[in-house]
Amino acid sequence: MADKTASKYLINLEKQFAAADPVLQKTARLFQELDQIEFDMGLIDSEESTARKTTWWPVISTLGGYSPAKSDFLARYLNSPLHTVRHKFTVLQYTPQAAGATLPGTALDADHRLPFYRIGQAMEQVLPGEGGKLNGHLELVTVNSPKLKGKLVIDTPVLSNTTENAVTAMLRKYVLDISDLVLVFTDLFEADAELNKAALTEIVAQQDSNKFVFVIDHSEIGLDPAKSQDIANAWQRRLAELGIHTGQFVVLSQNSDGAALDQRIANLASDRSYRVLATLQDSIRAIDDVILPEVEASLTTWKERCNATTLIVLGFIIMLALFAEIAVGILELIFDPIIGPAIAIALIALLTPMHLIVSRVHAKFIVKQLHKRQKQLNLTEDLAALFEKSQSFWRMLLPITDPVGKNKKNRKKLAGLIEQSKDLVQALNDQFSHTQQEYRHDLDAYAFEER
């Protein structure tokens, strides 16, 4: 097997976290090992990386309704006026330049370092024609605010009858999936029930992730702590009726100091690390749990169709032989010690290339089905490429349905990657319970064991 060159993306990640975050630096190396396994199986090409399945930036996203609460909060938090539109997904990124800039959605789709990389393909799958309308759904806004350093904010559009469709719902789900902190402004729940149904479903589905903070905006008035708690309790009961039972509640008022939100935002880097490690583990497990079973099932179907077609042709040849026996009598030739084996060899010589041709024809139909299945499963790995790589000459002739790469060697490698990722999660946990010196010692010990 050829060694896969580490993608520039992973190389840059390793450099970026070399001093700032040793856990993520080592995580990048594990992604590189996973890339090699998937490359050998044909699941990714030489320039791709499984590390791109999630963003490595700490991400805050916002959900809100028609009131200006969400935009007013962002302007206050960033201490900068924002010129964003209400119907687009807006990525806010730090810039050292005094004047910010608004860039089109294509800037996000083309940059593998940012969220929404290649999102146009996913949009096209959801709704044909929408993949070419990136700029109508997305924008990148740079802001000169120190609070954006080292993180991204994704401001989601307000719910609207005129803009809400399958693509918008898909993009909102994508944003919630990659976010480390989601600020849900309670005016969201004042919107039309049909409009906020999809957003509510996603919040309920992901509520155990501990990423949601429900923001109750009363910034126009002053509230004492007791009154703020009463308001939070009332909203807690209301959201419980909607199926939301977890999440932090924050009441904004003229005299609130925002300490609770500041603390959550201060923990973003750690939240990001846990998310990236979770993505790594999910990607490793997906090979055995999803990818190999899907391709193996397709190989089994393909074999059954090929064998059935070959048997039909063989049956036709046998029928011709029976007719020939009735007409002129050829059984004597078949049992002849010289002519009989020659006939068998000729039959094999005829059936073998025919079986190979039949196999390639059936494979084309299976490949089309695998492309559709890959989209349905939302996989970045190329299932069809693994299927095609599993069609060597002998695999076509012999009853082999295991895909290339399904072997003890790879199982051992994948199990090793899972264990190493668990060690990194433990090292991450130790940041909160050990001194910095002890934490460094644990990482050094992990690095020694890795070698």
Side-chain angles (χ1 to χ4, degrees):
M1 295 290 182
D3 287 340
K4 180 185 181 302
T5 304
S7 70
K8 292 180 181 178
Y9 181 63
L10 274 177
I11 292 172
N12 289 335
L13 285 175
E14 279 200 57
K15 290 179 181 177
Q16 177 182 344
F17 296 117
D21 195 325
V23 166
L24 284 183
Q25 182 193 26
K26 294 178 187 302
T27 302
R29 293 175 186 170
L30 295 187
F31 269 109
Q32 185 174 335
E33 292 182 41
L34 178 61
D35 286 351
Q36 180 66 57
I37 294 172
E38 294 206 354
F39 175 74
D40 292 341
M41 295 169 70
L43 292 169
I44 60 174
D45 61 34
S46 58
E47 296 300 320
E48 263 304 329
S49 174
T50 51
R52 288 177 177 158
K53 288 184 177 181
T54 190
T55 177
W56 288 58
W57 289 82
V59 175
I60 305 171
S61 63
T62 64
L63 288 176
Y66 271 104
S67 83
K70 179 162 64 73
S71 56
D72 288 350
F73 168 80
L74 288 174
R76 289 196 308 272
Y77 174 71
L78 299 176
N79 193 27
S80 175
L82 297 176
H83 305 289
T84 60
V85 293
R86 293 165 64 85
H87 67 279
K88 292 184 182 182
F89 290 83
T90 302
V91 177
L92 303 175
Q93 184 183 23
Y94 171 74
T95 179
Q97 299 176 5
T102 299
L103 305 178
T106 49
L108 292 166
D109 184 74
D111 194 334
H112 61 75
R113 298 168 299 176
L114 296 172
F116 300 110
Y117 176 60
R118 291 184 177 176
I119 199 67
Q121 297 176 12
M123 292 167 60
E124 188 67 25
Q125 292 168 15
V126 172
L127 199 61
E130 289 296 303
K133 301 177 181 178
L134 285 164
N135 296 338
H137 291 279
L138 306 169
E139 65 179 1
L140 173 63
V141 175
T142 61
V143 184
N144 179 236
S145 171
K147 289 193 173 181
L148 272 178
K149 283 186 176 180
K151 64 177 72 71
L152 296 174
V153 172
I154 304 177
D155 188 24
T156 65
V158 299
L159 301 173
S160 168
N161 282 313
T162 58
T163 59
E164 201 69 17
N165 57 31
V167 169
T168 308
M170 180 274 290
L171 292 173
R172 189 174 285 110
K173 180 183 184 305
Y174 169 79
V175 169
L176 293 184
D177 287 341
I178 65 170
S179 295
D180 302 299
L181 176 63
V182 183
L183 303 180
V184 184
F185 290 80
T186 49
D187 62 344
L188 175 77
F189 304 102
E190 306 293 345
D192 181 86
E194 283 302 311
L195 280 178
N196 67 20
K197 185 176 181 180
L200 179 61
T201 300
E202 283 305 314
I203 293 173
V204 171
Q206 299 192 36
Q207 62 179 312
D208 291 335
S209 62
N210 194 37
K211 65 172 68 174
F212 295 99
V213 172
F214 299 96
V215 182
I216 308 160
D217 182 50
H218 287 299
S219 53
E220 75 284 357
I221 60 175
L223 295 171
D224 60 58
K227 184 60 177 176
S228 294
Q229 188 59 49
D230 289 341
I231 293 172
N233 291 339
W235 268 103
Q236 190 172 17
R237 289 190 295 270
R238 181 175 175 183
L239 295 189
E241 294 173 358
L242 299 174
I244 301 173
H245 304 286
T246 63
Q248 184 178 357
F249 289 79
V250 172
V251 180
L252 299 180
S253 65
Q254 287 182 351
N255 52 331
S256 61
D257 59 5
L261 273 180
D262 289 340
Q263 183 59 47
R264 286 300 302 268
I265 293 171
N267 290 333
L268 270 183
S270 297
D271 294 337
R272 177 268 312 271
S273 298
Y274 283 112
R275 170 173 51 79
V276 171
L277 280 166
T279 299
L280 170 63
Q281 293 178 351
D282 289 343
S283 299
I284 296 168
R285 293 190 176 101
I287 294 178
D288 270 335
D289 296 345
V290 180
I291 295 170
L292 288 177
E294 284 289 334
V295 176
E296 186 171 2
S298 296
L299 285 168
T300 300
T301 301
W302 170 66
K303 279 284 182 183
E304 290 172 350
R305 292 178 182 178
C306 297
N307 292 339
T309 304
T310 302
L311 286 174
I312 289 171
V313 174
L314 182 59
F316 180 72
I317 293 173
I318 292 173
M319 286 180 63
L320 289 178
L322 290 175
F323 284 126
E325 168 60 22
I326 294 172
V328 296
I330 64 167
L331 286 179
E332 295 176 359
L333 296 176
I334 293 175
F335 291 105
D336 185 272
I338 297 176
I339 299 176
I343 292 174
I345 292 171
L347 188 61
I348 292 172
L350 172 67
L351 289 177
T352 298
M354 187 212 67
H355 183 76
L356 295 177
I357 293 171
V358 165
S359 297
R360 291 192 177 96
V361 171
H362 280 298
K364 291 181 179 179
F365 294 101
I366 298 293
V367 164
K368 290 181 180 178
Q369 293 172 5
L370 281 173
H371 283 313
K372 292 179 181 178
R373 188 62 179 151
Q374 180 180 332
K375 293 175 183 177
Q376 291 171 354
L377 295 170
N378 196 29
L379 293 173
T380 58
E381 287 84 357
D382 192 342
L383 299 181
L386 174 56
F387 173 81
E388 290 176 323
K389 194 163 187 175
S390 302
Q391 294 177 36
S392 63
F393 176 81
W394 289 111
R395 281 174 169 268
M396 287 184 179
L397 296 180
L398 298 176
I400 302 173
T401 57
D402 285 347
V404 168
K406 186 180 179 181
N407 51 51
K408 291 182 179 178
K409 181 180 179 181
N410 273 347
R411 283 201 187 95
K412 185 176 180 180
K413 286 182 180 179
L414 292 173
L417 290 179
I418 285 288
E419 289 306 312
Q420 290 180 68
S421 69
K422 288 179 179 178
D423 290 341
L424 288 177
V425 171
Q426 291 177 16
L428 200 57
N429 293 342
D430 290 342
Q431 292 184 62
F432 300 96
S433 58
H434 290 189
T435 65
Q436 190 66 19
Q437 184 177 0
E438 290 172 326
Y439 169 59
R440 290 284 179 180
H441 174 75
D442 288 345
L443 280 176
D444 291 342
Y446 168 79
F448 178 79
E449 291 172 4
E450 188 181 28
R451 290 194 293 271

